[in-house]
Amino acid sequence: MNPHEPELHLLMLKSNSGDEAAYRTLLQKLSGLFRRFFRQKLYGRDDAAAEDLVQETLLAIHLNRRRYDPGRPFTAWVYAIARYKLMDHFRRKPAGREFVPVDDVVGLFSEETADQTDFGRDIEVLLAQLPEKQGSAIQLVKLDHLSIREASVKLSISEADVKVSIHRGLKKLMSLVSKEKSS
Amino acid sequence: MKTDDLVSELSRGVSAVRPVRPRLRLSAAAAAGLVASVVLLFLIFGTRADFSQAGAHIVLKGFYGLAAAAAATPFLLEVSRPSTSARHGFWPIGVFAVLNILIGLLVLAATPPEVRLHAWTGDRFPECLYRIPLLALPIAVALTFAVRGLGATRLTLAGSAIGGVSGSLAAIVYASCCPADSVLYVLSWYLASVLLCAGAGAILLSRALKW
């Protein structure tokens, strides 16, 4: 079993029962592991792309979190998604393609890279491409840190509508990010 | 956007989630597909002329499809989700294939040489080669929709698993209109049809499964 498994599995269980702090810790730990993994797989030549992959993978995990089966190893689940994102990256940019073994779970959990350089894209540009309701819902709740209720008052739509808009918006964002990378 | 910010945004106000139940989801899809497949059978082929007298043969051939489906299901359950251990779901398929070949060879040895060709082909083109894939179509479509929501990461394998399972289930349906009853026929042509479905699934479905 992967040495990270007990800790991460527990964090994931807590996260899926709505524990915000546990979820934050989990995503932080994962982003360190992902960063190290993707940089290594890209031979340290493209740290910006590696950082994009980190973010895409985190987003994918977030959007798929209810599909995680608690009875199965969490590290393997996460590695499968990270590898999927990596293969996707290579499909879009065939140069530098290399063999990634399907069961190299250890490779993802080898050693963390502590410091992080920000090569992020401008979120505002992406948000502007979303339908207005989704864009403003994400802007208000996720960036301006309003509550769902406050956002629903501000946008004069129902709270459920705000939640759905955020969810759909995040999904759309993810497809925009991948489209942008392939072009 | 910094990754740390993304982490804060994603975790902010995260709510409890009700886990997806892959087994339930896939069984529901398979059941819906099967119903459509039966309807398709009646619309296009109908049942065999001597349906009422051929009960035992039909049931036996149905069991062949059922066994194939049972063998392929663990593999489908494995590769329809983010998976790193496709091998673990594969062994029932291996057992099924070995048994299929072994029994086939034994029956071949027990069949007198002069009737082997007749037993093998039923003296006509093995129509199940296109009929089973056709009947598998609605099942494959339903299963593809179900798998799309599960986040498969090995798309070619997932496509072949969908093809294999739907081909096996379609073989159950097809059994009621298939006129050839010899063991050799079933062990070779039914197997070939299911493999054909799996191959087609691997090629055609991997695109539809992308997320």
Side-chain angles (χ1 to χ4, degrees), chain B residues 68-132:
Chain B
T73 300
F75 184 60
L76 175 64
L77 273 168
E78 181 61 46
V79 295
S80 58
R81 297 178 265 185
S83 155
T84 53
S85 54
R87 269 164 298 168
H88 299 247
F90 199 76
W91 69 265
I93 297 181
V95 170
F96 181 83
V98 168
L99 281 180
N100 189 318
I101 293 169
L102 268 183
I103 298 176
L105 289 177
L106 286 177
V107 173
L108 185 68
T111 312
E114 58 276 14
V115 292
R116 276 182 189 163
L117 189 67
H118 169 76
W120 185 49
T121 61
D123 292 332
R124 65 170 86 76
F125 176 76
E127 288 191 313
C128 58
L129 281 179
Y130 71 89
R131 292 190 168 185
I132 287 182

CSV table of all heavy atoms in Angstrom, one decimal, chain B residues 68-132:
chain,number,residue,atom,x,y,z
B,68,ALA,N,-20.7,-15.2,-20.4
B,68,ALA,CA,-19.8,-14.2,-21.0
B,68,ALA,C,-19.9,-12.8,-20.3
B,68,ALA,O,-19.0,-12.2,-20.0
B,68,ALA,CB,-20.0,-14.1,-22.5
B,69,ALA,N,-21.2,-12.4,-20.1
B,69,ALA,CA,-21.5,-11.2,-19.5
B,69,ALA,C,-20.9,-11.1,-18.1
B,69,ALA,O,-20.3,-10.2,-17.6
B,69,ALA,CB,-23.0,-10.9,-19.5
B,70,ALA,N,-21.1,-12.2,-17.4
B,70,ALA,CA,-20.6,-12.3,-16.0
B,70,ALA,C,-19.1,-12.2,-15.9
B,70,ALA,O,-18.5,-11.6,-15.0
B,70,ALA,CB,-21.1,-13.6,-15.3
B,71,ALA,N,-18.5,-12.8,-17.0
B,71,ALA,CA,-17.0,-12.8,-17.0
B,71,ALA,C,-16.5,-11.4,-17.3
B,71,ALA,O,-15.4,-11.0,-16.8
B,71,ALA,CB,-16.5,-13.8,-18.0
B,72,ALA,N,-17.2,-10.6,-18.1
B,72,ALA,CA,-16.7,-9.3,-18.5
B,72,ALA,C,-17.1,-8.2,-17.6
B,72,ALA,O,-16.5,-7.1,-17.6
B,72,ALA,CB,-17.3,-9.0,-19.9
B,73,THR,N,-18.1,-8.5,-16.7
B,73,THR,CA,-18.6,-7.4,-15.8
B,73,THR,C,-17.5,-6.9,-14.8
B,73,THR,O,-17.4,-5.6,-14.7
B,73,THR,CB,-19.9,-7.8,-15.1
B,73,THR,OG1,-20.8,-8.1,-16.1
B,73,THR,CG2,-20.4,-6.7,-14.2
B,74,PRO,N,-16.8,-7.7,-14.2
B,74,PRO,CA,-15.8,-7.2,-13.2
B,74,PRO,C,-14.8,-6.2,-13.9
B,74,PRO,O,-14.4,-5.2,-13.4
B,74,PRO,CB,-15.0,-8.4,-12.7
B,74,PRO,CG,-16.0,-9.5,-12.9
B,74,PRO,CD,-16.8,-9.2,-14.1
B,75,PHE,N,-14.4,-6.6,-15.2
B,75,PHE,CA,-13.5,-5.8,-16.0
B,75,PHE,C,-14.2,-4.4,-16.3
B,75,PHE,O,-13.5,-3.4,-16.1
B,75,PHE,CB,-13.2,-6.5,-17.3
B,75,PHE,CG,-12.2,-5.8,-18.1
B,75,PHE,CD1,-10.9,-5.5,-17.6
B,75,PHE,CD2,-12.5,-5.4,-19.4
B,75,PHE,CE1,-10.0,-4.8,-18.4
B,75,PHE,CE2,-11.5,-4.7,-20.2
B,75,PHE,CZ,-10.3,-4.4,-19.7
B,76,LEU,N,-15.4,-4.4,-16.6
B,76,LEU,CA,-16.1,-3.2,-16.9
B,76,LEU,C,-16.2,-2.3,-15.7
B,76,LEU,O,-15.9,-1.1,-15.7
B,76,LEU,CB,-17.6,-3.5,-17.4
B,76,LEU,CG,-18.4,-2.2,-17.7
B,76,LEU,CD1,-17.9,-1.3,-18.7
B,76,LEU,CD2,-19.9,-2.6,-18.0
B,77,LEU,N,-16.5,-2.9,-14.5
B,77,LEU,CA,-16.6,-2.2,-13.3
B,77,LEU,C,-15.3,-1.5,-12.9
B,77,LEU,O,-15.2,-0.5,-12.4
B,77,LEU,CB,-17.0,-3.1,-12.1
B,77,LEU,CG,-18.5,-3.2,-12.0
B,77,LEU,CD1,-18.8,-4.4,-11.0
B,77,LEU,CD2,-19.1,-1.9,-11.4
B,78,GLU,N,-14.2,-2.2,-13.3
B,78,GLU,CA,-12.8,-1.7,-13.0
B,78,GLU,C,-12.5,-0.5,-13.9
B,78,GLU,O,-12.1,0.5,-13.4
B,78,GLU,CB,-11.8,-2.8,-13.1
B,78,GLU,CG,-10.4,-2.4,-12.8
B,78,GLU,CD,-10.2,-1.9,-11.4
B,78,GLU,OE1,-10.7,-2.6,-10.4
B,78,GLU,OE2,-9.6,-0.9,-11.2
B,79,VAL,N,-12.6,-0.7,-15.2
B,79,VAL,CA,-12.1,0.3,-16.1
B,79,VAL,C,-13.1,1.4,-16.4
B,79,VAL,O,-12.8,2.4,-17.0
B,79,VAL,CB,-11.6,-0.3,-17.5
B,79,VAL,CG1,-10.5,-1.2,-17.3
B,79,VAL,CG2,-12.8,-1.0,-18.2
B,80,SER,N,-14.3,1.3,-15.8
B,80,SER,CA,-15.3,2.4,-16.0
B,80,SER,C,-15.0,3.5,-15.0
B,80,SER,O,-15.6,4.6,-15.1
B,80,SER,CB,-16.7,1.9,-15.9
B,80,SER,OG,-16.9,1.4,-14.6
B,81,ARG,N,-14.1,3.3,-14.1
B,81,ARG,CA,-13.7,4.4,-13.2
B,81,ARG,C,-12.2,4.7,-13.3
B,81,ARG,O,-11.5,3.9,-13.9
B,81,ARG,CB,-14.0,3.9,-11.7
B,81,ARG,CG,-15.5,3.6,-11.5
B,81,ARG,CD,-15.7,3.1,-10.2
B,81,ARG,NE,-15.7,1.6,-10.2
B,81,ARG,CZ,-16.0,0.9,-9.1
B,81,ARG,NH1,-16.3,1.5,-8.0
B,81,ARG,NH2,-16.1,-0.4,-9.2
B,82,PRO,N,-11.8,5.8,-12.6
B,82,PRO,CA,-10.3,6.0,-12.6
B,82,PRO,C,-9.6,4.8,-12.1
B,82,PRO,O,-9.9,4.4,-11.0
B,82,PRO,CB,-10.2,7.2,-11.7
B,82,PRO,CG,-11.4,7.9,-11.7
B,82,PRO,CD,-12.5,6.9,-11.9
B,83,SER,N,-8.8,4.2,-12.9
B,83,SER,CA,-8.3,2.9,-12.6
B,83,SER,C,-6.8,2.7,-12.9
B,83,SER,O,-6.3,3.2,-13.9
B,83,SER,CB,-9.1,1.8,-13.4
B,83,SER,OG,-8.4,0.6,-13.6
B,84,THR,N,-6.1,2.0,-12.1
B,84,THR,CA,-4.7,1.7,-12.3
B,84,THR,C,-4.5,0.2,-12.3
B,84,THR,O,-3.4,-0.3,-12.5
B,84,THR,CB,-3.8,2.3,-11.3
B,84,THR,OG1,-4.3,1.9,-10.0
B,84,THR,CG2,-3.8,3.8,-11.3
B,85,SER,N,-5.6,-0.6,-12.1
B,85,SER,CA,-5.4,-2.0,-11.9
B,85,SER,C,-6.3,-2.8,-12.8
B,85,SER,O,-7.1,-3.6,-12.3
B,85,SER,CB,-5.5,-2.4,-10.5
B,85,SER,OG,-6.8,-2.0,-10.0
B,86,ALA,N,-6.3,-2.5,-14.1
B,86,ALA,CA,-7.2,-3.2,-15.0
B,86,ALA,C,-7.0,-4.7,-15.0
B,86,ALA,O,-7.9,-5.4,-15.2
B,86,ALA,CB,-7.1,-2.6,-16.4
B,87,ARG,N,-5.8,-5.1,-14.7
B,87,ARG,CA,-5.4,-6.5,-14.7
B,87,ARG,C,-6.3,-7.2,-13.7
B,87,ARG,O,-6.7,-8.4,-13.9
B,87,ARG,CB,-4.0,-6.6,-14.3
B,87,ARG,CG,-3.0,-6.7,-15.4
B,87,ARG,CD,-1.6,-6.5,-14.8
B,87,ARG,NE,-1.5,-5.1,-14.2
B,87,ARG,CZ,-0.5,-4.7,-13.4
B,87,ARG,NH1,0.4,-5.6,-13.1
B,87,ARG,NH2,-0.5,-3.5,-12.9
B,88,HIS,N,-6.6,-6.6,-12.6
B,88,HIS,CA,-7.3,-7.3,-11.5
B,88,HIS,C,-8.7,-7.7,-11.9
B,88,HIS,O,-9.3,-8.7,-11.5
B,88,HIS,CB,-7.4,-6.4,-10.2
B,88,HIS,CG,-6.1,-6.1,-9.7
B,88,HIS,ND1,-5.6,-6.6,-8.5
B,88,HIS,CD2,-5.0,-5.4,-10.2
B,88,HIS,CE1,-4.4,-6.2,-8.3
B,88,HIS,NE2,-4.0,-5.5,-9.3
B,89,GLY,N,-9.3,-6.9,-12.9
B,89,GLY,CA,-10.7,-7.2,-13.3
B,89,GLY,C,-10.7,-8.2,-14.5
B,89,GLY,O,-11.7,-8.6,-15.0
B,90,PHE,N,-9.5,-8.5,-15.0
B,90,PHE,CA,-9.4,-9.2,-16.2
B,90,PHE,C,-9.5,-10.8,-16.1
B,90,PHE,O,-9.8,-11.5,-17.0
B,90,PHE,CB,-8.1,-8.8,-17.0
B,90,PHE,CG,-8.2,-9.2,-18.5
B,90,PHE,CD1,-9.0,-8.3,-19.3
B,90,PHE,CD2,-7.6,-10.2,-19.0
B,90,PHE,CE1,-9.1,-8.6,-20.7
B,90,PHE,CE2,-7.7,-10.5,-20.4
B,90,PHE,CZ,-8.4,-9.7,-21.2
B,91,TRP,N,-9.1,-11.3,-14.9
B,91,TRP,CA,-9.0,-12.8,-14.8
B,91,TRP,C,-10.2,-13.6,-15.2
B,91,TRP,O,-10.1,-14.6,-15.8
B,91,TRP,CB,-8.3,-13.2,-13.5
B,91,TRP,CG,-9.2,-13.0,-12.3
B,91,TRP,CD1,-9.1,-11.9,-11.4
B,91,TRP,CD2,-10.2,-13.8,-11.8
B,91,TRP,NE1,-10.1,-12.0,-10.4
B,91,TRP,CE2,-10.7,-13.2,-10.6
B,91,TRP,CE3,-10.7,-15.1,-12.2
B,91,TRP,CZ2,-11.7,-13.8,-9.9
B,91,TRP,CZ3,-11.7,-15.7,-11.4
B,91,TRP,CH2,-12.2,-15.0,-10.3
B,92,PRO,N,-11.5,-13.1,-14.8
B,92,PRO,CA,-12.6,-13.9,-15.2
B,92,PRO,C,-12.7,-14.0,-16.7
B,92,PRO,O,-13.2,-15.1,-17.2
B,92,PRO,CB,-13.8,-13.1,-14.6
B,92,PRO,CG,-13.2,-12.2,-13.6
B,92,PRO,CD,-11.9,-11.9,-14.0
B,93,ILE,N,-12.3,-13.0,-17.4
B,93,ILE,CA,-12.4,-13.1,-18.9
B,93,ILE,C,-11.4,-14.1,-19.4
B,93,ILE,O,-11.7,-14.9,-20.2
B,93,ILE,CB,-12.0,-11.7,-19.5
B,93,ILE,CG1,-13.1,-10.7,-19.1
B,93,ILE,CG2,-11.9,-11.8,-21.0
B,93,ILE,CD1,-12.9,-9.3,-19.7
B,94,GLY,N,-10.2,-14.2,-18.7
B,94,GLY,CA,-9.2,-15.2,-19.1
B,94,GLY,C,-9.8,-16.6,-18.8
B,94,GLY,O,-9.6,-17.5,-19.7
B,95,VAL,N,-10.4,-16.8,-17.7
B,95,VAL,CA,-10.9,-18.1,-17.3
B,95,VAL,C,-12.0,-18.5,-18.4
B,95,VAL,O,-12.0,-19.6,-18.9
B,95,VAL,CB,-11.6,-18.1,-15.9
B,95,VAL,CG1,-12.4,-19.4,-15.7
B,95,VAL,CG2,-10.5,-17.9,-14.9
B,96,PHE,N,-12.8,-17.5,-18.7
B,96,PHE,CA,-13.9,-17.8,-19.7
B,96,PHE,C,-13.3,-18.2,-21.0
B,96,PHE,O,-13.7,-19.2,-21.6
B,96,PHE,CB,-14.8,-16.5,-19.8
B,96,PHE,CG,-15.9,-16.7,-20.8
B,96,PHE,CD1,-17.1,-17.3,-20.4
B,96,PHE,CD2,-15.8,-16.3,-22.1
B,96,PHE,CE1,-18.1,-17.5,-21.3
B,96,PHE,CE2,-16.8,-16.5,-23.0
B,96,PHE,CZ,-18.0,-17.1,-22.6
B,97,ALA,N,-12.3,-17.4,-21.5
B,97,ALA,CA,-11.7,-17.7,-22.8
B,97,ALA,C,-11.0,-19.1,-22.8
B,97,ALA,O,-11.2,-19.9,-23.7
B,97,ALA,CB,-10.6,-16.7,-23.1
B,98,VAL,N,-10.3,-19.4,-21.7
B,98,VAL,CA,-9.7,-20.8,-21.7
B,98,VAL,C,-10.7,-21.9,-21.7
B,98,VAL,O,-10.6,-22.8,-22.4
B,98,VAL,CB,-8.8,-20.9,-20.4
B,98,VAL,CG1,-8.3,-22.3,-20.2
B,98,VAL,CG2,-7.6,-19.9,-20.5
B,99,LEU,N,-11.7,-21.7,-20.9
B,99,LEU,CA,-12.8,-22.7,-20.9
B,99,LEU,C,-13.4,-22.9,-22.2
B,99,LEU,O,-13.7,-24.0,-22.7
B,99,LEU,CB,-13.9,-22.4,-19.8
B,99,LEU,CG,-13.5,-22.7,-18.4
B,99,LEU,CD1,-14.7,-22.3,-17.5
B,99,LEU,CD2,-13.2,-24.2,-18.2
B,100,ASN,N,-13.7,-21.7,-22.9
B,100,ASN,CA,-14.3,-21.7,-24.2
B,100,ASN,C,-13.5,-22.5,-25.2
B,100,ASN,O,-14.0,-23.4,-25.9
B,100,ASN,CB,-14.5,-20.3,-24.6
B,100,ASN,CG,-15.3,-20.2,-25.9
B,100,ASN,OD1,-15.2,-20.9,-26.8
B,100,ASN,ND2,-16.1,-19.2,-25.9
B,101,ILE,N,-12.2,-22.3,-25.2
B,101,ILE,CA,-11.3,-23.0,-26.1
B,101,ILE,C,-11.2,-24.4,-25.8
B,101,ILE,O,-11.3,-25.3,-26.7
B,101,ILE,CB,-9.9,-22.3,-26.1
B,101,ILE,CG1,-10.1,-20.9,-26.7
B,101,ILE,CG2,-8.9,-23.1,-26.9
B,101,ILE,CD1,-8.8,-20.0,-26.6
B,102,LEU,N,-11.0,-24.7,-24.5
B,102,LEU,CA,-10.9,-26.1,-24.1
B,102,LEU,C,-12.1,-27.0,-24.4
B,102,LEU,O,-12.0,-28.0,-25.1
B,102,LEU,CB,-10.7,-26.2,-22.5
B,102,LEU,CG,-9.2,-26.2,-22.0
B,102,LEU,CD1,-9.2,-26.3,-20.5
B,102,LEU,CD2,-8.5,-27.3,-22.7
B,103,ILE,N,-13.3,-26.5,-24.0
B,103,ILE,CA,-14.5,-27.2,-24.3
B,103,ILE,C,-14.7,-27.3,-25.8
B,103,ILE,O,-15.1,-28.4,-26.4
B,103,ILE,CB,-15.7,-26.5,-23.7
B,103,ILE,CG1,-15.6,-26.5,-22.2
B,103,ILE,CG2,-17.0,-27.2,-24.1
B,103,ILE,CD1,-16.6,-25.8,-21.4
B,104,GLY,N,-14.4,-26.3,-26.6
B,104,GLY,CA,-14.5,-26.3,-28.0
B,104,GLY,C,-13.6,-27.4,-28.6
B,104,GLY,O,-14.1,-28.2,-29.5
B,105,LEU,N,-12.4,-27.5,-28.1
B,105,LEU,CA,-11.5,-28.5,-28.7
B,105,LEU,C,-12.0,-29.9,-28.3
B,105,LEU,O,-11.9,-30.8,-29.1
B,105,LEU,CB,-10.0,-28.3,-28.1
B,105,LEU,CG,-9.3,-27.1,-28.7
B,105,LEU,CD1,-7.9,-26.9,-28.0
B,105,LEU,CD2,-9.2,-27.2,-30.2
B,106,LEU,N,-12.5,-30.1,-27.1
B,106,LEU,CA,-13.0,-31.4,-26.7
B,106,LEU,C,-14.1,-31.8,-27.5
B,106,LEU,O,-14.2,-33.0,-28.0
B,106,LEU,CB,-13.4,-31.4,-25.2
B,106,LEU,CG,-12.3,-31.3,-24.2
B,106,LEU,CD1,-12.8,-31.2,-22.7
B,106,LEU,CD2,-11.4,-32.6,-24.3
B,107,VAL,N,-15.1,-30.9,-27.7
B,107,VAL,CA,-16.2,-31.2,-28.6
B,107,VAL,C,-15.8,-31.5,-30.0
B,107,VAL,O,-16.3,-32.4,-30.6
B,107,VAL,CB,-17.3,-30.0,-28.5
B,107,VAL,CG1,-18.4,-30.3,-29.5
B,107,VAL,CG2,-17.8,-29.9,-27.1
B,108,LEU,N,-14.8,-30.7,-30.5
B,108,LEU,CA,-14.3,-31.0,-31.8
B,108,LEU,C,-13.8,-32.4,-32.0
B,108,LEU,O,-14.0,-33.1,-32.9
B,108,LEU,CB,-13.3,-29.9,-32.2
B,108,LEU,CG,-12.7,-30.0,-33.6
B,108,LEU,CD1,-13.8,-29.5,-34.6
B,108,LEU,CD2,-11.5,-29.1,-33.7
B,109,ALA,N,-13.0,-32.8,-30.9
B,109,ALA,CA,-12.4,-34.1,-30.9
B,109,ALA,C,-13.5,-35.2,-30.9
B,109,ALA,O,-13.3,-36.2,-31.5
B,109,ALA,CB,-11.5,-34.3,-29.8
B,110,ALA,N,-14.6,-34.9,-30.2
B,110,ALA,CA,-15.6,-35.9,-30.0
B,110,ALA,C,-16.5,-36.0,-31.3
B,110,ALA,O,-17.3,-36.9,-31.4
B,110,ALA,CB,-16.4,-35.6,-28.8
B,111,THR,N,-16.4,-34.9,-32.1
B,111,THR,CA,-17.3,-34.9,-33.3
B,111,THR,C,-16.7,-35.7,-34.4
B,111,THR,O,-15.5,-35.5,-34.7
B,111,THR,CB,-17.5,-33.5,-33.8
B,111,THR,OG1,-17.9,-32.7,-32.7
B,111,THR,CG2,-18.7,-33.4,-34.8
B,112,PRO,N,-17.4,-36.6,-35.1
B,112,PRO,CA,-16.9,-37.4,-36.2
B,112,PRO,C,-16.4,-36.4,-37.3
B,112,PRO,O,-17.2,-35.5,-37.6
B,112,PRO,CB,-18.0,-38.3,-36.7
B,112,PRO,CG,-19.0,-38.3,-35.5
B,112,PRO,CD,-18.8,-37.0,-34.8
B,113,PRO,N,-15.3,-36.6,-37.9
B,113,PRO,CA,-14.7,-35.7,-38.9
B,113,PRO,C,-15.7,-35.3,-40.0
B,113,PRO,O,-15.7,-34.2,-40.4
B,113,PRO,CB,-13.5,-36.4,-39.5
B,113,PRO,CG,-13.1,-37.4,-38.4
B,113,PRO,CD,-14.4,-37.8,-37.7
B,114,GLU,N,-16.5,-36.3,-40.5
B,114,GLU,CA,-17.3,-35.9,-41.6
B,114,GLU,C,-18.5,-35.0,-41.3
B,114,GLU,O,-19.0,-34.3,-42.2
B,114,GLU,CB,-17.9,-37.2,-42.3
B,114,GLU,CG,-18.7,-38.1,-41.4
B,114,GLU,CD,-17.9,-39.1,-40.5
B,114,GLU,OE1,-16.6,-38.9,-40.4
B,114,GLU,OE2,-18.4,-40.0,-39.9
B,115,VAL,N,-18.8,-34.8,-40.0
B,115,VAL,CA,-19.9,-33.9,-39.7
B,115,VAL,C,-19.4,-32.6,-39.1
B,115,VAL,O,-20.1,-31.7,-38.7
B,115,VAL,CB,-21.0,-34.5,-38.8
B,115,VAL,CG1,-21.7,-35.6,-39.5
B,115,VAL,CG2,-20.4,-35.0,-37.5
B,116,ARG,N,-18.0,-32.5,-38.9
B,116,ARG,CA,-17.5,-31.3,-38.2
B,116,ARG,C,-17.8,-30.0,-38.9
B,116,ARG,O,-18.3,-29.1,-38.3
B,116,ARG,CB,-15.9,-31.5,-38.2
B,116,ARG,CG,-15.5,-32.3,-37.0
B,116,ARG,CD,-14.0,-32.4,-37.0
B,116,ARG,NE,-13.6,-33.4,-36.0
B,116,ARG,CZ,-12.4,-33.9,-35.9
B,116,ARG,NH1,-11.5,-33.6,-36.7
B,116,ARG,NH2,-12.2,-34.8,-34.9
B,117,LEU,N,-17.7,-30.0,-40.2
B,117,LEU,CA,-18.0,-28.7,-40.9
B,117,LEU,C,-19.4,-28.3,-40.7
B,117,LEU,O,-19.7,-27.1,-40.5
B,117,LEU,CB,-17.7,-28.9,-42.4
B,117,LEU,CG,-17.7,-27.5,-43.2
B,117,LEU,CD1,-16.6,-26.6,-42.7
B,117,LEU,CD2,-17.6,-27.8,-44.7
B,118,HIS,N,-20.3,-29.3,-40.8
B,118,HIS,CA,-21.7,-29.0,-40.6
B,118,HIS,C,-22.0,-28.5,-39.2
B,118,HIS,O,-22.7,-27.5,-39.0
B,118,HIS,CB,-22.6,-30.3,-40.9
B,118,HIS,CG,-24.0,-30.1,-40.4
B,118,HIS,ND1,-24.9,-29.4,-41.2
B,118,HIS,CD2,-24.6,-30.5,-39.3
B,118,HIS,CE1,-26.1,-29.4,-40.6
B,118,HIS,NE2,-25.9,-30.1,-39.4
B,119,ALA,N,-21.4,-29.1,-38.2
B,119,ALA,CA,-21.6,-28.7,-36.9
B,119,ALA,C,-21.0,-27.3,-36.6
B,119,ALA,O,-21.5,-26.5,-35.9
B,119,ALA,CB,-20.9,-29.7,-35.9
B,120,TRP,N,-19.9,-27.0,-37.3
B,120,TRP,CA,-19.2,-25.7,-37.1
B,120,TRP,C,-19.9,-24.5,-37.7
B,120,TRP,O,-20.1,-23.5,-37.1
B,120,TRP,CB,-17.8,-25.8,-37.6
B,120,TRP,CG,-17.0,-24.6,-37.3
B,120,TRP,CD1,-16.8,-24.0,-36.1
B,120,TRP,CD2,-16.2,-23.9,-38.2
B,120,TRP,NE1,-16.0,-22.9,-36.2
B,120,TRP,CE2,-15.6,-22.8,-37.5
B,120,TRP,CE3,-15.9,-24.0,-39.6
B,120,TRP,CZ2,-14.7,-21.9,-38.1
B,120,TRP,CZ3,-15.0,-23.1,-40.1
B,120,TRP,CH2,-14.4,-22.0,-39.4
B,121,THR,N,-20.4,-24.7,-39.0
B,121,THR,CA,-21.0,-23.6,-39.6
B,121,THR,C,-22.6,-23.7,-39.7
B,121,THR,O,-23.2,-22.7,-40.0
B,121,THR,CB,-20.5,-23.5,-41.1
B,121,THR,OG1,-20.9,-24.7,-41.8
B,121,THR,CG2,-19.0,-23.3,-41.2
B,122,GLY,N,-23.1,-24.8,-39.4
B,122,GLY,CA,-24.6,-25.0,-39.6
B,122,GLY,C,-24.9,-24.9,-41.1
B,122,GLY,O,-26.1,-24.5,-41.4
B,123,ASP,N,-24.0,-25.1,-42.0
B,123,ASP,CA,-24.2,-25.0,-43.4
B,123,ASP,C,-24.7,-23.7,-44.0
B,123,ASP,O,-25.4,-23.6,-45.0
B,123,ASP,CB,-25.2,-26.1,-43.9
B,123,ASP,CG,-24.6,-27.5,-43.7
B,123,ASP,OD1,-23.3,-27.6,-43.7
B,123,ASP,OD2,-25.3,-28.5,-43.4
B,124,ARG,N,-24.4,-22.6,-43.3
B,124,ARG,CA,-24.8,-21.3,-43.8
B,124,ARG,C,-23.8,-20.3,-43.2
B,124,ARG,O,-23.1,-20.6,-42.3
B,124,ARG,CB,-26.2,-21.0,-43.5
B,124,ARG,CG,-26.5,-20.8,-42.0
B,124,ARG,CD,-27.9,-20.2,-41.8
B,124,ARG,NE,-28.9,-21.3,-41.8
B,124,ARG,CZ,-29.1,-22.1,-40.8
B,124,ARG,NH1,-28.4,-22.0,-39.7
B,124,ARG,NH2,-30.1,-23.0,-40.8
B,125,PHE,N,-23.9,-19.1,-43.8
B,125,PHE,CA,-23.1,-18.0,-43.2
B,125,PHE,C,-23.5,-17.7,-41.8
B,125,PHE,O,-24.7,-17.6,-41.5
B,125,PHE,CB,-23.3,-16.7,-44.0
B,125,PHE,CG,-22.6,-15.5,-43.5
B,125,PHE,CD1,-21.2,-15.4,-43.7
B,125,PHE,CD2,-23.2,-14.6,-42.8
B,125,PHE,CE1,-20.5,-14.3,-43.1
B,125,PHE,CE2,-22.6,-13.5,-42.2
B,125,PHE,CZ,-21.2,-13.4,-42.4
B,126,PRO,N,-22.6,-17.7,-40.8
B,126,PRO,CA,-22.9,-17.4,-39.4
B,126,PRO,C,-23.5,-16.0,-39.2
B,126,PRO,O,-22.7,-15.1,-39.1
B,126,PRO,CB,-21.6,-17.6,-38.7
B,126,PRO,CG,-20.6,-17.5,-39.7
B,126,PRO,CD,-21.1,-17.9,-41.0
B,127,GLU,N,-24.8,-15.9,-39.2
B,127,GLU,CA,-25.4,-14.6,-39.2
B,127,GLU,C,-25.3,-13.9,-37.9
B,127,GLU,O,-25.5,-12.6,-37.8
B,127,GLU,CB,-26.9,-14.7,-39.6
B,127,GLU,CG,-27.1,-15.1,-41.0
B,127,GLU,CD,-28.6,-15.0,-41.4
B,127,GLU,OE1,-29.4,-15.5,-40.7
B,127,GLU,OE2,-28.8,-14.4,-42.5
B,128,CYS,N,-24.9,-14.6,-36.8
B,128,CYS,CA,-24.8,-13.9,-35.6
B,128,CYS,C,-23.7,-12.9,-35.6
B,128,CYS,O,-23.6,-12.0,-34.9
B,128,CYS,CB,-24.5,-14.9,-34.4
B,128,CYS,SG,-23.1,-15.9,-34.7
B,129,LEU,N,-22.7,-13.0,-36.6
B,129,LEU,CA,-21.6,-12.1,-36.7
B,129,LEU,C,-22.1,-10.7,-36.9
B,129,LEU,O,-21.4,-9.7,-36.5
B,129,LEU,CB,-20.7,-12.5,-37.9
B,129,LEU,CG,-19.7,-13.6,-37.6
B,129,LEU,CD1,-18.9,-13.9,-38.8
B,129,LEU,CD2,-18.8,-13.3,-36.4
B,130,TYR,N,-23.2,-10.5,-37.6
B,130,TYR,CA,-23.7,-9.1,-37.6
B,130,TYR,C,-25.0,-8.9,-36.8
B,130,TYR,O,-25.3,-7.8,-36.4
B,130,TYR,CB,-24.0,-8.6,-39.1
B,130,TYR,CG,-25.2,-9.3,-39.7
B,130,TYR,CD1,-26.4,-8.7,-39.7
B,130,TYR,CD2,-25.0,-10.5,-40.4
B,130,TYR,CE1,-27.5,-9.3,-40.2
B,130,TYR,CE2,-26.1,-11.1,-41.0
B,130,TYR,CZ,-27.4,-10.5,-40.9
B,130,TYR,OH,-28.5,-11.1,-41.5
B,131,ARG,N,-25.7,-10.0,-36.5
B,131,ARG,CA,-26.9,-9.8,-35.7
B,131,ARG,C,-26.6,-9.5,-34.3
B,131,ARG,O,-27.3,-8.6,-33.7
B,131,ARG,CB,-27.8,-11.0,-35.8
B,131,ARG,CG,-28.3,-11.2,-37.2
B,131,ARG,CD,-29.4,-12.3,-37.3
B,131,ARG,NE,-30.1,-12.3,-38.6
B,131,ARG,CZ,-31.1,-13.0,-38.8
B,131,ARG,NH1,-31.6,-13.9,-37.9
B,131,ARG,NH2,-31.7,-12.9,-40.0
B,132,ILE,N,-25.6,-10.2,-33.7
B,132,ILE,CA,-25.3,-9.9,-32.3
B,132,ILE,C,-24.8,-8.4,-32.1
B,132,ILE,O,-25.3,-7.7,-31.2
B,132,ILE,CB,-24.3,-10.9,-31.7
B,132,ILE,CG1,-25.1,-12.3,-31.5
B,132,ILE,CG2,-23.8,-10.5,-30.4
B,132,ILE,CD1,-24.3,-13.4,-30.9
